[in-house]
Amino acid sequence: MTTPPLRLFFALPCPKDLANLLYAWREGIGADGRPVDVANLHMTLAFLGSVPRGRKSELLELGKTLPREAFTLQLDHLGRWRNGILHLSPSITPEPLLNLVHRLREMLVALDFPVEQRPFHPHLTLARHSIRLPDAQPSFAWPVRKITLFSSENSPRGVHYRAIGDWSLNP
Ligand code: ATP
Ligand code: MG
């Protein structure tokens, strides 16, 4: 029997303190839709989709070569896309983040992984299937200190992201 592939993505995991703050803030503004679990809050850097298990080690090696410059994300914009994604985003994307995503995509292409062609829109999803944009002005500072390779797994309690590799950034 063949083992099923993994569903992988590189992301910035939201620190626990900030995740708790965002959770409470989201409740306070009365956001609609299906809320993202507090443990799952993150910013996707690169979504790989289905990856054969045998290729996991290539991604763990790739992770070691990523730029390590820490940065702070100012989440100062609340938006909702037509696909129902209610999200927070930075109005200014820090240079180290752009650099990181650029290098990540470059290395994925070099290894022949399928890579997103669309421009990178940094965002942290708060809820899905939202039909109303609350009138609220966020102001959250996210000190980014870690990159994680996650495996997205389904369980009876909903989707769970399992960290299979992480790399710390240097302030
Ligand atoms: P579910 O799909 O069960 O509602 P989820 O969307 O949280 O849960 P995944 O679909 O595994 O879980 O997605 C993991 C991350 O990758 C999320 O940030 C998601 O927005 C992003 N993602 C998923 N599919 C794509 C895609 N086709 N292109 C870009 N990013 C994607
Ligand atoms: Mg999904």
Side-chain angles (χ1 to χ4, degrees):
M1 206 173 75
T2 54
T3 44
L6 297 164
R7 183 175 171 88
L8 301 182
F9 63 105
F10 284 93
L12 306 176
C14 185
K16 207 166 187 296
D17 292 356
L18 178 61
N20 287 333
L21 264 179
L22 296 180
Y23 183 89
W25 184 79
R26 181 181 61 190
E27 296 274 294
I29 62 171
D32 67 348
R34 180 160 59 84
V36 173
D37 196 278
V38 67
N40 285 354
L41 293 169
H42 69 280
M43 179 175 286
T44 299
L45 300 174
F47 177 76
L48 299 166
S50 180
V51 174
R53 278 165 200 267
R55 299 202 69 188
K56 190 175 92 171
S57 57
E58 290 173 65
L59 296 170
L60 294 177
E61 284 304 311
L62 181 164
K64 292 182 193 166
T65 70
L66 288 172
R68 295 299 188 90
E69 190 183 343
F71 54 93
T72 299
L73 272 173
Q74 301 292 346
L75 299 175
D76 55 4
H77 178 77
L78 175 68
R80 193 191 71 88
W81 290 321
R82 275 188 307 184
N83 59 4
I85 300 277
L86 183 71
H87 61 276
L88 289 171
S89 62
S91 55
I92 298 170
T93 306
E95 206 55 41
L97 174 58
L98 287 176
N99 185 35
L100 176 59
V101 170
H102 179 76
R103 286 284 306 279
L104 187 52
R105 286 185 176 189
E106 210 169 53
M107 288 189 282
L108 289 169
V109 168
L111 291 171
D112 224 10
F113 281 98
V115 170
E116 183 75 70
Q117 298 298 323
R118 293 176 298 180
F120 174 58
H121 292 297
H123 66 282
L124 175 147
T125 300
L126 290 173
R128 297 196 167 85
H129 310 295
S130 161
I131 55 170
R132 189 183 63 83
L133 176 64
D135 180 17
Q137 178 57 58
S139 175
F140 298 100
W142 175 353
V144 178
R145 298 291 180 268
K146 196 159 83 169
I147 304 166
T148 303
L149 175 63
F150 283 112
S151 163
S152 173
E153 301 175 357
N154 285 306
S155 82
R157 284 182 295 142
V159 69
H160 167 70
Y161 304 148
R162 184 167 59 87
I164 60 176
D166 47 41
W167 301 275
S168 52
L169 303 181
N170 309 311

